[in-house]
Amino acid sequence: MSIAIGLVRLDDPVILAPMSGVTDLPFRRLVKSHGAGLVVSEMIASAAMIRETRQSLLMAKSAGDEQPMAVQLAGCEPEVMAEAARLNADRGAAIIDINFGCPVKKVVNGQAGSALMRDEATAARLLEATVKAVNLPVTLKMRTGWDDRNRNAPRLARIAEDCGIKMITIHGRTRCQFYEGQADWAFIREVKAAVRIPVIANGDITSLEAARDALTLSGADGLMIGRGAYGRPWFVSQVARFLRTGERVPDPPLARQLEIVLGHYEAMLSHYGSAVGSRIARKHLAWYSKGLPGSAEFRAAVNRTDDVGAARALIRGFYEPLLERQAA
């Protein structure tokens, strides 16, 4: 299943998707440490990047142990996108990914994200400018189209390939679907047939069986996993192993999960500072604890405290009784 993205080679092309508010540096490093082939930053507005706002610089910050990593940029102005790509190349990104898939109204109303699927001429200028701006491989993430009547991903994929794009990821929904309904993995096969570069399938890959089916139906060269990694930073590597060998690697033992949760919590405090990091950590703690006994009470207690010492005690107080019962 290995693929080449320009000079970047992925032996296991199972990729952590860019997710706003989720794929920050602490989470990317954690997923990478479990063996992910590639991790991608949160979507960063190209205009904010060239202004070097504090938030954009923090979102684009990378570490050596997560390489190769991709920085995803959004925007609608070719010159601005090109400059933002150059800045991230200088800051250590291995790949620049361009977002044509975000369905959020604020992004679309700015003529960025999935809005660009309705303007193929502007899309082509933006892709070409970005490719010419850097010596790194440039990739593209998009949807199947704007709506069911305008599923132009195969045509836009050919345009992207002609512009020098090295890989395309397709989320199997239209923009107008947002995240409703089911991802149409079979439609991705039409994109795969339209180009020679690698095509990655994305959307609804939340189990090993879904990963197998997505790959089979799409004929894609690899998979990109988003929400399936919530609270499961090990899931990307489980999928890669399953697709490569058929082996079903179990989740880490509960004691190891506690170590992972505590380590991730401390990494978020270090990255953001205690005040911001403790608030951002709440959603991750909710995802980690989902399905475990007493998780609702644990989430409520964590959400009520801003004290990091109290939060650490709550984490241990939640997991340790479960470990004791497991050992009994």
Side-chain angles (χ1 to χ4, degrees):
M1 280 183 61
S2 64
I3 62 171
I5 310 169
L7 296 178
V8 177
R9 186 169 189 83
L10 302 184
D11 291 329
D12 285 309
V14 183
I15 301 167
L16 177 67
M19 292 180 283
S20 180
V22 179
T23 54
D24 54 15
L25 178 60
F27 191 65
R28 295 195 312 269
R29 293 180 75 185
L30 182 55
V31 173
K32 187 71 174 183
S33 73
H34 283 88
L38 179 70
V39 295
V40 188
S41 78
E42 302 172 76
M43 182 185 72
I44 304 171
S46 55
M49 190 71 233
I50 65 171
R51 292 198 305 271
E52 296 192 351
T53 65
R54 181 180 180 277
Q55 183 181 15
S56 67
L57 292 175
L58 193 65
M59 292 165 72
K61 187 176 180 181
S62 63
D65 59 3
E66 64 168 334
Q67 295 296 339
M69 64 84 69
V71 169
Q72 189 185 72
L73 298 172
C76 60
E77 299 172 277
E79 300 81 7
V80 175
M81 185 74 85
E83 180 60 23
R86 281 190 287 267
L87 285 169
N88 280 289
D90 291 342
R91 290 173 57 84
I95 295 168
I96 301 297
D97 186 62
I98 297 176
N99 183 297
F100 283 6
C102 181
V104 176
K105 288 182 179 178
K106 180 175 69 172
V107 175
V108 169
N109 289 343
Q111 305 307 309
S114 54
L116 286 158
M117 297 197 72
R118 294 190 298 180
D119 186 352
E120 294 176 4
T122 299
R125 289 194 296 272
L126 192 147
L127 294 169
E128 187 174 19
T130 308
V131 168
K132 288 181 176 179
V134 294
N135 291 323
L136 305 178
V138 179
T139 60
L140 172 64
K141 187 171 190 285
M142 61 178 169
R143 291 188 165 229
T144 58
W146 179 259
D147 57 27
D148 286 337
R149 294 187 302 275
N150 298 280
R151 297 212 290 178
N152 62 330
R155 184 170 65 248
L156 192 51
R158 286 192 293 270
I159 292 170
E161 183 177 35
D162 289 343
C163 290
I165 293 297
K166 300 300 184 185
M167 183 185 79
I168 297 171
T169 300
I170 305 293
H171 182 113
R173 289 181 174 86
T174 65
R175 184 271 173 182
C176 289
Q177 282 183 274
F178 286 83
Y179 296 98
E180 300 298 321
Q182 297 294 312
D184 188 349
W185 299 324
F187 182 82
I188 298 172
R189 187 174 287 274
E190 296 185 30
V191 181
K192 174 62 182 169
V195 295
R196 296 179 300 277
I197 57 177
V199 172
I200 305 297
N202 173 232
D204 294 346
I205 302 169
T206 57
S207 69
L208 298 181
E209 292 74 18
R212 177 196 60 211
D213 293 347
L215 202 63
T216 300
L217 289 170
S218 68
D221 301 287
L223 301 175
M224 181 175 278
I225 295 173
R227 289 173 289 174
Y230 284 4
R232 298 190 292 171
W234 49 83
F235 180 62
V236 174
S237 60
Q238 285 176 321
V239 169
R241 178 74 70 86
F242 177 69
L243 295 177
R244 186 172 68 249
T245 68
E247 181 183 0
R248 294 174 180 268
V249 178
D251 290 346
L254 203 57
R256 175 59 184 145
Q257 290 185 36
L258 173 56
E259 294 176 358
I260 291 168
V261 172
L262 288 171
H264 190 189
Y265 186 73
E266 296 302 326
M268 285 184 280
L269 298 182
S270 176
H271 184 64
Y272 292 106
S274 294
V276 175
S278 62
R279 290 195 296 272
I280 290 175
R282 291 171 181 169
K283 61 191 169 194
H284 289 280
L285 294 175
W287 293 328
Y288 280 123
S289 63
K290 184 178 180 181
L292 294 173
S295 59
E297 295 81 0
F298 169 66
R299 290 194 300 271
V302 165
N303 290 340
R304 284 195 298 266
T305 185
D306 290 320
D307 182 270
V308 297
R312 291 188 187 103
L314 285 167
I315 295 168
R316 291 191 177 278
F318 172 69
Y319 278 93
E320 287 175 353
L322 299 178
L323 288 168
E324 290 170 4
R325 288 203 292 271
Q326 192 178 72

